[in-house]
Amino acid sequence: MTTGKEQAGIDHSRDDDAYALDRNTVAAILYAVDVDDRDRLAELMEPLHAADIADLLEQINPYDRARLIRLYDREFDGEILSELEEGVREEVIRVLRPDVLADAVRDLESDDVVDLLEDLEEPDQETILGALEDAERVAAQQALSYPENSAGRLMQREVVMAPEHWTVGQAIDHLRASEDLPEDFYHIILVDPRLRPVGYVTLGKLMGTKREVPLKDIAEEEFQTIPIDQDEEDVAYAFKQYHLISAPVVDQDGRLVGVITIDDAMAVLDEEHEEDMLRMAGVDEDSSLSDTIAETARGRATWLLVNLFTAILASFVIDFFADTIDQMVALAVLMPIVASMGGNAGTQTMTVTVRAIATRDLTANNALRVLVREISVGALNGVLFGLLMALVAGIWFGVPMLSAVIGVAMVLTLVAAALGGILIPMALDKFNIDPALASGPFVTTVTDVVGFFVFLGLAGMVLL
Amino acid sequence: MTTGKEQAGIDHSRDDDAYALDRNTVAAILYAVDVDDRDRLAELMEPLHAADIADLLEQINPYDRARLIRLYDREFDGEILSELEEGVREEVIRVLRPDVLADAVRDLESDDVVDLLEDLEEPDQETILGALEDAERVAAQQALSYPENSAGRLMQREVVMAPEHWTVGQAIDHLRASEDLPEDFYHIILVDPRLRPVGYVTLGKLMGTKREVPLKDIAEEEFQTIPIDQDEEDVAYAFKQYHLISAPVVDQDGRLVGVITIDDAMAVLDEEHEEDMLRMAGVDEDSSLSDTIAETARGRATWLLVNLFTAILASFVIDFFADTIDQMVALAVLMPIVASMGGNAGTQTMTVTVRAIATRDLTANNALRVLVREISVGALNGVLFGLLMALVAGIWFGVPMLSAVIGVAMVLTLVAAALGGILIPMALDKFNIDPALASGPFVTTVTDVVGFFVFLGLAGMVLL
């Protein structure tokens, strides 16, 4: 249920589809496009938030998309561009009339313009830059000079500051007299005479405090500045860890150059999570549902190729024991179980490790203890499932020694899975490779190779 | 680099360990605990944020933890409790002296108290509730009466509101005269005479606008209210989608009952991501690095048991073709490659699908198109890797028909992987089961069974 501006077209029921685009609205919009009804289209789109319009554009096919944009045209808002995912955004920029595009871009705030520009190819960048006022263009170009994914790219340049020695009354009078306060700000940053931030005061506290009180006395206790070249992932972590709402960004000399607000940090956090999730599954993290079939296939193929190599490696191990299998085909039947359990246990440990590295919960302080714990867990579950599987194999094939072999193989494979699941991501992190990126195939290679080797090797020694 | 309150003990270098606890500081703290030096401990802990102290407590072993807490005692801040993960938090509550615990809890804001209470067992809950002032206790108990993980649990009850017909001047005068403004607030919520929110004004805009302007004229265009029983996951989605900083919470009659701020939404978003990530890997989402070995092993065992059943199912398929394998052991060598490629491709599609469902990017509007696309991608990569694997098998075993069989099996398995990877999470979502929770084992069961069946079945028909 939403009051205020009535949000037609968005599902506000309380089930899983809350906030998803309503199917009937989408159908009505596409119908308006079909019959070229500009007024009806504007009327249907009017209640939608820019983020929802962006979702709509992403969900319809490219042909409908182009027709919708041409018909919507004059109404097209810059914020929709900000909300679109990369691939669709480039397409939309090419479909929009140059004057509509220019209008749309001029409406955006400085950090949104940068966000828009950085994902675009050179010619599209030029189009957008050309549409900006001179001052804005220079500002955007300077922001683009900071490293990609750095705090400098993320910050707004508009800041509200006050000398540290001011009182509440002075600050309020100054704000009330200012002509060009930023759209959204929540804090006043206190600076020393060399423009270095020394603290901040929330607007709420400012409103609730007597005029004569010095700002210093109501400054928040916790205070974090962000170096301009800090990686945006670390910025997002700082916001989450320290519950920051906004944080001043400083240059190499510690001077205030901008401010990052929590909504941008939240967007980064969400992107980083998506990246981790996709990387762990071996999906190109820049892919999206609106990519073409060829683009998607290519994005997935890299990882499948890596997996093919590691699978072949595991098959070499099997081939090495081909004679053993030839003498007892039950081994071929059972060996995938050992490998599968190892792969699963390894993935569990790996996922916990990757997450713990990201949240700084796994550090040099407790690495050894966590390692010992994971090995113990692997051994414990190895014994449990080893016994269980020995029982199953015993009932299935009735060969006691085969039961013993699969039981022992299970224990050893699950211990190897624990070792691989924790040591591989930690090693990758040590070498500054994102542990999410490459852990998966390495861990399953270890578990497959160990699983097949131990099971078939033991079988060869004991059974034949 | 951090100015202001010097953050000793936290690594502020710009590499991956930014914001992680510094190893030397941890060592110094543990040494102070060892030699029972209360003053040195307080001095070392003083610059640390409550969130960092919580991390420290989580990272050290239970014995050191108890000693540290007893020595730190008088200084123990309620916020540290808020920041601790469940298991460690319960332990700490039992170690803290009752009067210290009472002091610590009384410092917290209403939503933090609720957050603390909801994870605790009955007796610990009573301890905390007993420590609160009467008014606070009643408020906390009411919050706990809302469904778990609902907006009602997440909101603060302290709200700042103004009648919709007021001017900027009236609002400023009212705020300046108020005695008990909340600690942090960023917006003034405009309400109609029946206390229903109709819009909001940011404090920044209030400061930048002339006294005589009606509040209505500077109200933000986009406005969302949150129903009190909405799931917190949907709340977090709304904050991210609509870039909300705070949002009013309303009861069934649309009346204002509280407010949720973005920092709480960000924490929920982060938790939901962690949950998805752990669930997809089959890890109990309530687990943590400080659980005991037995707890951890139990948390992992559930999923391993499910995996054991599905692995045995796949082995039945192999067993069905035992005679075929007996006649050509190369089949046993190659069959895991087909299954592994299928499992990988299926996981890729499944991860993309789970993520797209969570972000509302996959809806009834585009489901069919996405399905067709995934099948096409599966077929395309199936042909690519089928050809590649046929070549490898040809070189390896020199049996042309074996190459043909593995090539065709690869195509069919990768198409099945695409189908399973998209249809299984969509079906689970349809039945209101979290698609992240159960997709993994179902998808790999499909790919294993199809992979083994197609490969061995074709081989049986063609080769023997």
Side-chain angles (χ1 to χ4, degrees):
Chain A
M1 210 192 82
T2 294
T3 53
K5 192 168 194 180
E6 177 70 4
Q7 277 248 342
I10 296 297
D11 189 337
H12 284 286
S13 60
R14 278 151 207 177
D15 68 357
D16 281 358
D17 294 329
Y19 301 111
L21 279 167
D22 173 59
R23 200 175 180 172
N24 295 331
T25 310
V26 175
I29 287 172
L30 289 180
Y31 179 74
V33 171
D34 266 341
V35 299
D36 247 343
D37 188 340
R38 199 178 285 261
D39 296 333
R40 177 77 185 129
L41 176 66
E43 187 189 324
L44 285 163
M45 299 281 270
E46 205 275 324
L48 295 180
H49 187 284
D52 292 324
I53 298 180
D55 284 350
L56 171 72
L57 289 172
E58 287 163 11
Q59 286 175 24
I60 62 182
N61 67 50
Y63 174 67
D64 287 339
R65 191 148 60 217
R67 288 195 307 161
L68 192 158
I69 290 163
R70 277 195 213 99
L71 198 64
Y72 193 51
D73 193 67
R74 295 165 301 179
E75 314 267 347
F76 198 93
D77 192 273
E79 244 191 275
I80 304 172
L81 281 183
S82 293
E83 302 285 351
L84 282 172
E85 57 185 44
E86 230 173 287
V88 179
R89 187 191 284 169
E90 288 176 8
E91 200 187 302
V92 170
I93 286 177
R94 276 170 212 152
V95 173
L96 280 175
R97 288 212 321 261
D99 56 321
V100 175
L101 178 63
D103 274 351
V105 171
R106 271 196 289 266
D107 285 344
L108 291 174
E109 287 186 47
S110 64
D111 54 338
D112 289 333
V113 173
V114 175
D115 188 39
L116 195 64
L117 284 168
E118 63 186 356
D119 295 331
L120 294 177
E121 307 285 327
E122 195 75 32
D124 290 328
Q125 269 199 5
E126 293 302 323
T127 313
I128 303 272
L129 281 170
L132 293 173
E133 318 268 329
D134 285 351
E136 280 174 11
R137 181 169 49 245
V138 173
Q141 280 163 332
Q142 198 194 330
L144 286 176
S145 71
Y146 298 119
E148 223 177 319
N149 301 327
S150 71
R153 292 276 183 106
L154 213 56
M155 71 184 186
Q156 273 169 240
R157 300 162 58 85
E158 301 90 1
V159 291
V160 179
M161 52 180 155
E164 50 180 334
H165 56 78
W166 274 14
T167 63
V168 168
Q170 279 176 298
I172 290 181
D173 293 344
H174 170 74
L175 290 177
R176 299 289 298 146
S178 294
E179 289 290 323
D180 56 344
L181 292 177
E183 278 277 294
D184 296 308
F185 73 103
Y186 312 102
H187 300 151
I188 300 174
I189 298 160
L190 304 185
V191 291
D192 71 7
R194 301 168 77 176
L195 281 189
R196 287 183 303 213
V198 294
Y200 73 95
V201 169
T202 70
L203 283 187
K205 216 169 234 171
L206 190 76
M207 295 302 279
T209 307
K210 294 200 165 41
R211 288 187 60 88
E212 61 275 13
V213 177
L215 290 179
K216 252 189 230 167
D217 292 4
I218 56 165
E220 297 299 306
E221 260 187 52
E222 310 291 350
F223 174 61
Q224 291 279 340
T225 58
I226 308 275
I228 194 161
D229 56 355
Q230 188 169 65
D231 193 273
E232 60 175 16
E233 188 187 345
D234 294 329
V235 174
Y237 179 81
F239 270 83
K240 181 173 75 75
Q241 173 82 343
Y242 302 117
H243 307 284
L244 309 176
I245 298 295
S246 70
V249 179
V250 295
D251 65 14
Q252 275 73 7
D253 304 319
R255 268 193 295 262
L256 182 64
V257 288
V259 64
I260 295 176
T261 49
I262 184 174
D263 52 326
D264 294 318
M266 189 173 181
V268 171
L269 189 78
D270 190 56
E271 275 166 35
E272 294 290 335
H273 279 299
E274 173 165 277
E275 205 178 270
D276 275 0
M277 192 168 164
L278 294 179
R279 280 182 171 177
M280 282 209 294
V283 179
D284 178 12
E285 72 259 20
D286 294 325
S287 69
S288 85
L289 283 189
S290 47
D291 288 349
T292 65
I293 292 169
E295 282 166 351
T296 308
R298 204 177 320 124
R300 309 263 175 94
T302 322
W303 229 222
L304 289 176
L305 188 63
V306 174
N307 186 62
L308 186 65
F309 279 117
T310 65
I312 291 174
L313 196 67
S315 288
F316 281 153
V317 176
I318 302 174
D319 196 32
F320 184 76
F321 294 103
D323 289 345
T324 315
I325 296 172
D326 220 8
Q327 293 175 55
M328 188 178 207
V329 76
L331 297 177
V333 174
L334 292 177
M335 67 183 184
I337 297 178
V338 178
S340 165
M341 291 296 282
N344 235 281
T347 304
Q348 288 180 332
T349 304
M350 178 195 80
T351 305
V352 171
T353 307
V354 167
R355 172 75 189 170
I357 290 173
T359 56
R360 280 74 164 169
D361 286 334
L362 179 61
T363 64
N365 303 312
N366 60 348
L368 191 63
R369 197 149 32 82
V370 173
L371 180 65
V372 170
R373 196 192 66 142
E374 285 296 329
I375 294 172
S376 311
V377 168
L380 199 59
N381 275 337
V383 170
L384 177 69
F385 289 100
L387 286 172
L388 195 60
M389 196 53 225
L391 189 72
V392 171
I395 296 167
W396 194 346
F397 295 100
V399 182
M401 281 315 278
L402 182 61
S403 287
V405 165
I406 199 164
V408 173
M410 192 75 88
V411 178
L412 295 177
T413 305
L414 261 59
V415 169
L419 274 170
I422 189 163
L423 292 180
I424 291 170
M426 281 176 73
L428 290 172
D429 184 52
K430 200 88 190 159
F431 292 111
N432 281 322
I433 302 168
D434 181 351
L437 186 61
S439 294
F442 290 153
V443 172
T444 48
T445 305
V446 168
T447 54
D448 278 358
V449 167
V450 171
F452 291 138
F453 188 85
V454 170
F455 177 62
L456 297 175
L458 279 176
M461 289 193 297
V462 172
L463 287 167
L464 309 172
Chain B
M1 211 191 84
T2 294
T3 53
K5 193 169 192 179
E6 175 70 5
Q7 277 250 341
I10 295 297
D11 189 335
H12 284 286
S13 60
R14 279 153 205 178
D15 68 358
D16 280 358
D17 293 329
Y19 301 111
L21 279 168
D22 173 59
R23 200 173 179 171
N24 295 331
T25 310
V26 175
I29 288 172
L30 290 180
Y31 179 75
V33 171
D34 266 342
V35 299
D36 246 344
D37 187 341
R38 197 178 286 261
D39 296 334
R40 177 77 184 129
L41 176 66
E43 187 188 324
L44 285 163
M45 299 281 270
E46 205 275 327
L48 295 181
H49 187 284
D52 292 323
I53 297 180
D55 284 349
L56 170 71
L57 289 173
E58 287 163 11
Q59 286 175 23
I60 61 182
N61 67 49
Y63 174 68
D64 287 338
R65 191 149 58 217
R67 288 196 306 159
L68 192 158
I69 290 164
R70 278 195 212 98
L71 198 65
Y72 193 51
D73 192 68
R74 297 165 300 179
E75 314 268 347
F76 198 92
D77 191 272
E79 244 191 276
I80 303 172
L81 281 182
S82 292
E83 302 285 351
L84 282 173
E85 58 186 40
E86 233 173 286
V88 179
R89 187 192 284 170
E90 288 176 6
E91 199 188 303
V92 170
I93 286 177
R94 278 172 210 148
V95 172
L96 279 175
R97 288 212 322 260
D99 57 319
V100 175
L101 178 62
D103 274 350
V105 172
R106 270 197 289 266
D107 285 345
L108 291 174
E109 287 186 47
S110 64
D111 55 336
D112 289 333
V113 173
V114 175
D115 188 42
L116 195 64
L117 284 168
E118 64 185 358
D119 295 332
L120 294 177
E121 308 287 326
E122 195 76 30
D124 291 328
Q125 269 198 5
E126 293 302 323
T127 313
I128 302 271
L129 281 171
L132 293 173
E133 318 266 331
D134 285 349
E136 280 173 14
R137 181 169 51 244
V138 173
Q141 279 163 333
Q142 201 195 330
L144 286 176
S145 72
Y146 298 119
E148 222 178 319
N149 301 326
S150 71
R153 292 274 183 107
L154 212 57
M155 71 184 187
Q156 274 169 239
R157 299 161 59 84
E158 302 89 0
V159 291
V160 179
M161 52 181 154
E164 50 180 333
H165 56 78
W166 274 14
T167 63
V168 168
Q170 280 176 296
I172 290 181
D173 293 344
H174 171 74
L175 290 178
R176 298 290 296 147
S178 294
E179 288 292 321
D180 56 344
L181 290 177
E183 279 276 294
D184 297 308
F185 73 103
Y186 312 103
H187 300 150
I188 300 174
I189 298 161
L190 304 185
V191 291
D192 71 9
R194 301 168 76 177
L195 281 189
R196 288 183 303 213
V198 293
Y200 72 94
V201 169
T202 69
L203 283 187
K205 215 169 236 172
L206 189 77
M207 295 303 280
T209 307
K210 295 203 164 42
R211 288 186 61 88
E212 62 276 13
V213 176
L215 290 179
K216 250 189 234 168
D217 292 3
I218 55 166
E220 298 298 306
E221 260 188 53
E222 310 291 349
F223 175 60
Q224 291 278 338
T225 58
I226 309 277
I228 194 160
D229 57 355
Q230 188 170 66
D231 192 274
E232 61 176 16
E233 186 187 345
D234 295 329
V235 174
Y237 179 80
F239 270 82
K240 180 172 74 75
Q241 173 83 343
Y242 303 119
H243 307 283
L244 308 176
I245 298 295
S246 71
V249 179
V250 295
D251 65 14
Q252 275 74 5
D253 303 320
R255 269 193 295 262
L256 182 64
V257 287
V259 65
I260 295 176
T261 48
I262 185 174
D263 52 328
D264 294 318
M266 189 172 180
V268 171
L269 188 79
D270 191 55
E271 275 166 34
E272 294 290 333
H273 279 300
E274 172 165 277
E275 205 178 273
D276 275 1
M277 191 167 164
L278 295 179
R279 280 182 171 177
M280 283 210 294
V283 179
D284 178 12
E285 73 258 20
D286 293 325
S287 68
S288 84
L289 283 188
S290 46
D291 288 348
T292 64
I293 290 169
E295 283 166 352
T296 308
R298 203 177 323 124
R300 309 261 176 96
T302 322
W303 229 221
L304 289 175
L305 187 64
V306 174
N307 186 63
L308 186 65
F309 278 116
T310 66
I312 291 174
L313 196 69
S315 288
F316 281 153
V317 176
I318 301 174
D319 195 30
F320 185 76
F321 294 104
D323 289 345
T324 315
I325 295 172
D326 221 7
Q327 294 174 54
M328 190 176 202
V329 76
L331 297 177
V333 174
L334 292 178
M335 67 182 185
I337 297 178
V338 178
S340 164
M341 292 297 282
N344 234 281
T347 305
Q348 288 179 334
T349 303
M350 179 196 79
T351 305
V352 171
T353 306
V354 167
R355 172 75 189 170
I357 291 172
T359 57
R360 279 74 164 168
D361 285 336
L362 179 62
T363 65
N365 303 313
N366 61 347
L368 192 65
R369 197 148 31 84
V370 173
L371 180 66
V372 170
R373 197 191 65 142
E374 285 296 328
I375 294 171
S376 311
V377 168
L380 199 60
N381 276 337
V383 170
L384 177 68
F385 288 100
L387 286 173
L388 195 59
M389 196 53 225
L391 189 71
V392 171
I395 295 167
W396 194 346
F397 295 99
V399 183
M401 282 314 278
L402 182 62
S403 287
V405 164
I406 198 163
V408 173
M410 192 74 88
V411 178
L412 296 176
T413 306
L414 262 58
V415 169
L419 274 169
I422 189 163
L423 291 180
I424 291 170
M426 281 176 74
L428 290 172
D429 185 53
K430 200 87 190 161
F431 292 111
N432 282 321
I433 301 168
D434 181 349
L437 187 60
S439 293
F442 290 154
V443 172
T444 48
T445 305
V446 168
T447 53
D448 277 359
V449 168
V450 171
F452 291 138
F453 188 85
V454 170
F455 177 62
L456 296 176
L458 279 177
M461 290 194 297
V462 173
L463 287 168
L464 308 172

